[in-house]
Amino acid sequence: MRTTVGIIGAGPAGLLLARLLRNAGIDSVVLESRDRAYVEHRQRAGILEQGTVDVLREAGAGGRMDREGLRHDGIELRFARQRHRVDFPALTGGRSVMVYAQTEVCKDLIALQLAEGGPLLFEAEALAVEGADTDSPRVRFRHEGREDVLECDYVVGCDGFWGVARAAIPSELTQVFERTYPFGWLGILADVPPSHDELVYARHDRGFALLSMRSPSVSRLYLQVPEGTDAGTWSDDDIWAELERRFETADDWRLERGPITQKSVTPMRSYVHEPMRYGRLFLAGDAAHIVPPTGAKGLNLAVGDVVTFARALIHEREKGSADLLDAYSETCLRRVWQAERFSYDMTSLLHRVPDATGFEDRLQLARLERIASSRAAETDLAEAYTGFPFD
């Protein structure tokens, strides 16, 4: 099998890249190790930056998002029983975000790819990327019980942290930067309308909490818990009681309870692999970088990566110049490190570390009070939250 761009991974990054290339007249093949049902139902991110929303619309993949997604023009910060709303459009020249789950983005892009795009092979396990430093890289993969080879001009690894793409880059050429956090997020899905019409980020002496949503009838909520916590040790009543404590305000706001349909614990880490390119192999998304979810950046960073690659390849085809492809890693990493910085700042602003001192607690409150009282500080948060430029 031969194609111009071999894409490993049918998450939102790989699927969007296939769509962008198809719209530019460039052929591709997408290999996905899981089956279609798994890809369309795995719970992941739900906040789309303004740039991601714009790209999906331009790619012809925004119709259902615009009908069913929830545009949010701000977030609420809670601390010391106070409430402060950050108004995105007023601070960013009109930018906002969209609540639209990654599962829905994948469903939309899969439907388009199967109807209009090139081959999308589910249950096709990539085994190795070979010849990345040559003009003819190859992906060895297993599909329908037999091994095959996908010959490409370029390979883009959108196969996540545990995928095979990153392993093709010689270790002596790489640098890894990472940080693990001594806490995680206990996340739940609940069949109850959200108790607030925008996301609520709460800093509390007992730990962080986040009120989010998946739809007007489904709430998504999170609690900071110790690293290694087993979600099964938390009863539904205990989860709701702890959420009520951490979201408590001085006014009459109340958290609505409902049946919990799913619970899990997400570990927290920061990770960056440099470079993001080796020869004709390009890394995108979690294959190259991971951010703690506090800043809502993971999915959006992956979109920025594949937009950068698609633009660079189109430039090479139209202008005969590989300068943008050569600059891929440097270009992406500028945005990645800004997102890492913002995600770290949000995490350290709102989470309480196990051995926090009174001094550190007061610094957190001082930082939050600064955001609530300074338009400059508030603008910095709003600009980062709604998204860094792709170029």
Side-chain angles (χ1 to χ4, degrees), residues 36-326:
R36 180 177 179 177
Y38 179 89
V39 175
E40 292 187 337
H41 292 92
R42 56 184 167 191
Q43 291 294 328
R44 292 291 189 274
I47 305 296
L48 308 183
E49 295 174 355
Q50 183 70 65
T52 297
V53 170
D54 294 342
V55 166
L56 289 170
R57 287 172 177 158
E58 291 166 8
R64 192 164 70 93
M65 174 190 70
D66 284 331
R67 294 192 303 272
E68 300 179 12
L70 306 174
R71 172 178 162 147
H72 279 201
D73 287 335
I75 58 172
E76 183 173 288
L77 300 175
R78 291 192 186 179
F79 56 97
R81 303 182 71 207
Q82 301 176 51
R83 305 171 64 178
H84 176 76
R85 181 175 185 267
V86 179
D87 186 333
F88 293 155
L91 297 164
T92 65
R95 297 210 305 269
S96 63
V97 297
M98 182 81 76
V99 175
Y100 191 63
Q102 174 175 314
T103 51
E104 306 310 311
V105 174
C106 286
K107 289 175 186 176
D108 297 342
L109 290 169
I110 286 170
L112 286 169
Q113 184 71 7
L114 294 177
E116 304 173 4
L120 166 54
L121 305 182
F122 291 104
E123 298 181 88
E125 179 188 7
L127 303 174
V129 177
E130 300 172 341
D133 57 344
T134 73
D135 291 340
S136 303
R138 301 154 31 110
V139 182
R140 282 197 301 108
F141 67 99
R142 183 182 296 111
H143 184 236
E144 296 180 343
R146 64 182 180 85
E147 284 196 20
D148 204 342
V149 174
L150 178 62
E151 298 179 348
C152 322
D153 294 332
Y154 306 92
V155 176
V156 182
C158 305
D159 51 346
F161 183 78
W162 301 107
V164 302
R166 189 174 67 250
I169 302 179
S171 59
E172 63 269 19
L173 301 180
T174 69
Q175 282 187 290
V176 170
F177 306 88
E178 59 185 327
R179 178 186 179 92
T180 57
Y181 299 86
F183 44 75
W185 279 11
L186 171 62
I188 65 168
L189 280 175
D191 285 338
V192 59
S195 299
H196 194 61
D197 56 1
E198 293 178 333
L199 272 68
V200 177
Y201 287 78
R203 185 268 175 204
H204 193 277
D205 287 343
R206 297 175 63 91
F208 169 74
L210 172 62
L211 186 157
S212 184
M213 60 213 64
R214 282 294 177 264
S215 74
S217 61
V218 177
S219 293
R220 181 74 160 155
L221 301 109
Y222 298 92
L223 284 170
Q224 177 188 343
V225 294
E227 181 185 19
T229 294
D230 179 357
T233 62
W234 281 74
S235 71
D236 291 5
D237 284 343
D238 287 343
I239 291 172
W240 285 118
E242 189 62 24
L243 286 166
E244 287 170 348
R245 291 187 193 100
R246 298 190 193 182
F247 285 125
E248 184 182 13
T249 62
D251 58 18
D252 59 356
W253 182 90
R254 293 292 180 268
L255 178 69
E256 296 297 328
R257 297 190 178 198
I260 294 176
T261 59
Q262 184 184 114
K263 65 177 80 168
S264 62
V265 173
T266 301
M268 304 278 281
R269 65 184 308 210
S270 301
Y271 174 91
V272 179
H273 178 283
E274 296 187 9
M276 291 176 58
R277 177 204 178 185
Y278 172 63
R280 293 198 169 206
L281 168 65
F282 299 77
L283 302 181
D286 286 0
H289 43 73
I290 294 172
V291 289
T294 325
K297 290 288 169 241
L299 167 61
N300 297 290
L301 274 184
V303 169
D305 294 342
V306 298
V307 167
T308 300
F309 175 79
R311 289 176 177 173
L313 185 56
I314 293 167
H315 177 79
E316 191 271 339
R317 292 300 170 92
E318 293 179 349
K319 306 295 184 181
S321 170
D323 56 343
L324 297 186
L325 286 170
D326 292 340

Side-chain angles (χ1 to χ4, degrees), residues 299-366:
L299 167 61
N300 297 290
L301 274 184
V303 169
D305 294 342
V306 298
V307 167
T308 300
F309 175 79
R311 289 176 177 173
L313 185 56
I314 293 167
H315 177 79
E316 191 271 339
R317 292 300 170 92
E318 293 179 349
K319 306 295 184 181
S321 170
D323 56 343
L324 297 186
L325 286 170
D326 292 340
Y328 171 82
S329 184
E330 180 183 356
T331 301
C332 289
L333 285 168
R334 283 197 297 269
R335 190 168 185 270
V336 166
W337 276 111
Q338 285 302 315
E340 292 282 355
R341 185 269 308 170
F342 175 67
S343 298
Y344 174 82
D345 285 350
M346 287 286 283
T347 301
S348 62
L349 174 70
L350 296 163
H351 292 74
R352 195 173 192 276
V353 298
D355 57 351
T357 65
F359 179 83
E360 290 166 324
D361 288 339
R362 292 302 294 267
L363 280 181
Q364 280 186 322
L365 292 173

